Amino acid sequence: MIPLFKTHFSIGKSILRLSDVQRISTEEKINDIYIVEDCMTGFPESFRTFKDKLRFGLRFSIYNEDYSEESESKMIAFANGDAGAKELYTLYTESFNKKNTRPWEHTKNLQYVVPFYDSFLHKNLTTFSNCVVDLPSDIPFLVEQNNLPFDSLIHDKILSYCENYSNEVVDVKSIYYENREDVLAFQTYKLICNRRIGRTYNLSNPGLDHFGSNEFCIESWKNY
């Protein structure tokens, strides 16, 4: 099972710093450091810290051919070498001005994967969306188990899809904090970063999709 770290560079998404990831990876003897962020801000420091051990991924949005907001779902692209890093920066900057539909047709040095949460399968299953993705069979799907109520439903949906279309399945664990006891600090941080006008959230009613679990941590990963 591959740990997928996210750091404070993805604002409101993690309480880990790169120094935490560096310490944890050393203690747990993790050789390849997979970091998935929602922006490219942390890439330079991540590369300086981990150098050739770094596997940096960008989480971004893709859409149906009609570019409708309702069809938005998430993908992850990992950079392969220097050329991949340049393509990843281009993908990131272009996403501010255009909506991606099939970015893999225009890049050569990126490895695309389908995340477990917020993918087109997840959205179609849980929100009755109609996300249509023309996905090549060489793009793997990531699967997780974080004790959320719909995890098993998404897992079964992914396995069924991959059986029909011959996509690979990879076991991963998203890491946003170090230990299970850190979940309260993590939720507090998310509440501070995700305040919305006209809505009141607290720890009794956090309104945090996908985060009603204390399993997004390296302590949980070690149990596997």
Side-chain angles (χ1 to χ4, degrees):
M1 176 180 286
I2 299 173
L4 298 182
F5 293 98
K6 192 181 291 288
T7 74
H8 70 288
F9 284 110
S10 296
I11 297 174
K13 302 293 182 66
S14 172
I15 57 175
L16 292 176
R17 296 183 175 274
L18 279 179
S19 57
D20 298 319
V21 177
Q22 186 176 35
R23 174 180 53 80
I24 291 169
S25 62
T26 300
E27 292 174 351
E28 302 301 328
K29 297 179 173 59
I30 302 172
N31 293 321
D32 293 325
I33 314 302
Y34 286 84
I35 296 179
V36 177
E37 304 284 18
D38 295 347
C39 64
M40 294 296 293
T41 309
F43 176 75
E45 186 174 343
S46 298
F47 183 73
R48 286 193 295 269
T49 301
F50 298 109
K51 298 182 172 58
D52 291 342
K53 291 185 176 182
L54 178 66
R55 304 293 182 267
F56 191 91
L58 174 69
R59 184 172 177 267
F60 66 98
S61 296
I62 58 172
Y63 298 83
N64 290 358
E65 294 292 343
D66 62 1
Y67 304 112
S68 63
E69 294 295 332
E70 295 77 15
S71 69
E72 180 187 10
S73 62
K74 297 297 182 180
M75 290 285 294
I76 298 172
F78 285 98
N80 294 326
D82 293 342
K86 292 178 181 178
E87 289 185 345
L88 204 59
Y89 268 110
T90 299
L91 179 66
Y92 176 63
T93 54
E94 287 183 348
S95 66
F96 290 102
N97 302 313
K98 73 173 187 179
K99 294 180 178 180
N100 290 297
T101 56
R102 293 188 297 274
W104 41 84
E105 293 182 350
H106 312 291
T107 57
K108 296 181 179 179
N109 300 283
L110 297 180
Q111 172 61 63
Y112 295 91
V113 299
V114 182
F116 188 71
Y117 299 111
D118 296 323
S119 71
F120 68 100
L121 291 181
H122 176 196
K123 287 201 62 179
N124 290 345
L125 178 66
T126 61
T127 66
F128 304 104
S129 300
N130 187 30
C131 303
V132 180
V133 179
D134 184 15
L135 198 69
S137 60
D138 62 348
I139 293 182
F141 279 75
L142 307 183
V143 294
E144 302 198 33
Q145 177 50 255
N146 296 300
N147 290 346
L148 289 172
F150 47 77
D151 279 358
S152 60
L153 297 177
I154 302 172
H155 187 272
D156 290 346
K157 194 73 172 179
I158 290 173
L159 293 185
S160 176
Y161 181 97
C162 292
E163 183 177 351
N164 290 330
Y165 295 97
S166 301
N167 295 72
E168 182 184 359
V169 174
V170 180
D171 288 313
V172 302
K173 167 73 74 173
S174 294
I175 310 294
Y176 306 139
Y177 44 93
E178 186 169 356
N179 298 305
R180 290 187 175 96
E181 65 182 16
D182 299 326
V183 67
L184 188 60
F186 171 65
Q187 290 182 342
T188 302
Y189 174 62
K190 284 190 67 65
L191 285 172
I192 293 172
C193 294
N194 293 335
R195 289 181 295 179
R196 299 175 183 175
I197 297 175
R199 297 187 181 184
T200 301
Y201 295 119
N202 53 48
L203 289 175
S204 298
N205 180 33
L208 301 176
D209 293 340
H210 315 336
F211 294 104
S213 166
N214 63 354
E215 295 295 310
F216 294 92
C217 59
I218 201 68
E219 181 184 0
S220 176
W221 173 80
K222 288 193 289 187
N223 290 342
Y224 288 91

